[in-house]
Amino acid sequence: MKRYAAIVWLALAVLAPWAQADTVNVDGGMAFFHGDWEVACDNTRTCRIAGYQQDGDEHAISVLLTRKAGPAQPVTGELMVGAYDEEDFDLLQRLGDPLRLSMTIDGVSVGAVSVSQESLAAKLSQAQVAALLAALPGHSTIEFSTGDVSWHLSDDGAAAVLLKVDDYQRRVGTRGALARKGTRDEADVAPALPVPAVHQASVVDRTMSADALPAAVDLPALRKAIAAATSIDDCDLSPAEEGGPVPFRAARLDAHHLLVSAGCWLAAYNSGSGFWVINDSAPYQPVLVTTIGSDYGDGRISSSMKGRGLGDCWSTEEWAWDGRQFVHTASSTSGMCKLLAPGGAWSLPTIVTKVR
């Protein structure tokens, strides 16, 4: 079990910006965090910056700032009030709908925010976003309050995260930079990239089953080929202490290729399956798609992993069959584990595509 726990931690370290590292996605995105702030930039170079309350604060809150790449792009802002458990919901109901919050920075009012009880989120005005961006690189007290209830937005880590965005979008030293402004105009900043289009091919089998492998498939030879193509640290297909080898499920993709799957690892609150594309007759030549898969349906493999057992932070992935291979079409997290909401607060993608 200890080895399986290590596997799932490694998987989440690759996927999640809260995992104590700065990671650059092979498909062009980037994720980084510091203190109570994080950023995820996707493969179009749009960056989403999220900040939260400090750990230990009584009430959870988050701000999401979004900026597209390219010259003269504005920063938009959203606010989310935490409602993870019954106590949170009871408090919010008592405060009324909509929830009217006064926003102050270092005791100075920067206007009000009206938060719907249905969404628990609201847009920030451009003036409020500008005030936030001016305050965050320093040390400020950022508060949202109504009556005797207050939510405090931490600024710990914001300066480093904003600088990371400037660097990624090549704005450092320009007048439009968030953290390190200069005198240059933005003529040479990184341009926005188009959303890649992935043309999904039709498949023969829309679902996987235990009896979809052709009778002629030599299972020992297939198992040996898959083991040779896969690190045992990512997927252990050796026989269990009780029972036989890990069973395969399969789905036919086309006239000559199958998708096969087997359970790879099991941890406290996550599990991962391996998915391989193989020839339907020897030599099988397996090509590994992922060892953190959760499900397959109609030509798409998906992965959904909790960041922790409380279920307040998740990472998700998706791959689509284009007729030759499975293309990595989506990668996202819901943000830090901060008890904002069951399922997490935001969608912070590093890979976005249009699947057609």
Side-chain angles (χ1 to χ4, degrees), residues 13-25 29-42 47-52 156-168 333 335-336 348-350:
V14 173
L15 297 174
W18 60 79
Q20 305 295 320
D22 171 13
T23 60
V24 177
N25 192 292
M30 178 272 289
F32 174 79
F33 90 100
H34 189 69
D36 298 313
W37 283 78
E38 65 183 325
V39 59
C41 299
D42 64 35
C47 292
R48 297 168 179 86
I49 309 155
Y52 307 85
D156 180 28
V161 168
L162 294 177
L163 180 58
K164 193 73 174 181
V165 175
D166 285 343
D167 183 59
Y168 185 76
T333 78
M336 287 187 184
L348 305 178
T350 50

Side-chain angles (χ1 to χ4, degrees), residues 1-331:
M1 180 60 73
K2 286 184 178 179
R3 184 159 69 86
Y4 289 133
I7 290 172
V8 72
W9 184 91
L10 179 60
L12 287 173
V14 173
L15 297 174
W18 60 79
Q20 305 295 320
D22 171 13
T23 60
V24 177
N25 192 292
V26 294
D27 294 274
M30 178 272 289
F32 174 79
F33 90 100
H34 189 69
D36 298 313
W37 283 78
E38 65 183 325
V39 59
C41 299
D42 64 35
N43 48 313
T44 72
R45 296 194 177 122
T46 292
C47 292
R48 297 168 179 86
I49 309 155
Y52 307 85
Q53 80 282 358
Q54 289 185 334
D55 290 340
D57 280 1
E58 185 178 4
H59 303 303
I61 196 165
S62 181
V63 162
L64 178 68
L65 304 173
T66 302
R67 191 178 208 183
K68 295 180 179 180
Q73 286 295 330
V75 181
T76 60
E78 301 171 65
L79 175 75
M80 178 174 285
V81 175
Y84 175 79
D85 56 24
E86 208 169 295
E87 185 177 342
D88 293 334
F89 284 106
D90 289 345
L91 171 66
L92 293 174
Q93 285 185 346
R94 177 171 64 84
L95 294 174
D97 187 11
L99 182 64
R100 301 187 185 278
L101 301 180
S102 173
M103 179 181 176
T104 59
I105 298 177
D106 295 328
V108 177
S109 174
V110 286
V113 185
S114 181
V115 179
S116 162
Q117 291 278 13
E118 182 178 358
S119 65
L120 296 176
K123 293 188 180 299
L124 299 177
S125 70
Q126 282 300 305
Q128 289 167 334
V129 171
L132 262 180
L133 291 173
L136 285 172
H139 296 285
S140 299
T141 300
I142 304 165
E143 186 177 25
F144 298 84
S145 61
T146 179
D148 59 352
V149 182
S150 297
W151 291 258
H152 297 271
L153 182 69
S154 172
D155 62 5
D156 180 28
V161 168
L162 294 177
L163 180 58
K164 193 73 174 181
V165 175
D166 285 343
D167 183 59
Y168 185 76
Q169 295 186 335
R170 299 207 297 264
R171 298 185 195 274
V172 174
T174 69
R175 288 189 288 271
L178 301 178
R180 190 168 293 175
K181 293 184 182 296
T183 57
R184 292 189 296 113
D185 63 29
E186 291 195 303
D188 297 325
V189 303
L193 299 175
V195 178
V198 176
H199 296 273
Q200 183 175 342
S202 59
V203 293
V204 176
D205 292 336
R206 299 182 66 179
T207 60
M208 305 196 85
S209 66
D211 57 1
L213 279 174
V217 168
D218 183 338
L219 272 174
L222 174 60
R223 195 175 300 278
K224 182 177 180 181
I226 286 178
T230 312
S231 168
I232 194 172
D233 291 332
D234 296 329
C235 186
D236 187 357
L237 295 175
S238 58
E241 293 180 5
E242 298 179 5
V246 177
F248 286 121
R249 295 171 62 80
R252 180 167 288 280
L253 297 169
D254 58 29
H256 303 291
H257 296 95
L258 300 168
L259 180 68
V260 296
S261 176
C264 281
W265 50 267
L266 178 65
Y269 43 82
N270 287 311
S271 62
S273 293
F275 287 82
W276 299 264
V277 177
I278 68 166
N279 298 327
D280 64 356
S281 60
Y284 301 111
Q285 297 180 313
V287 175
L288 175 66
V289 181
T290 183
T291 58
I292 58 168
S294 302
D295 200 8
Y296 168 79
D298 200 16
R300 297 193 190 191
I301 299 167
S302 61
S303 171
S304 183
M305 300 283 167
K306 287 183 181 181
R308 61 179 180 177
L310 292 171
D312 60 335
C313 47
W314 290 75
S315 61
T316 57
E317 310 282 324
E318 191 168 90
W319 298 260
W321 175 249
D322 71 355
R324 297 181 304 107
Q325 63 184 341
F326 275 91
V327 179
H328 202 176
T329 55
S331 180

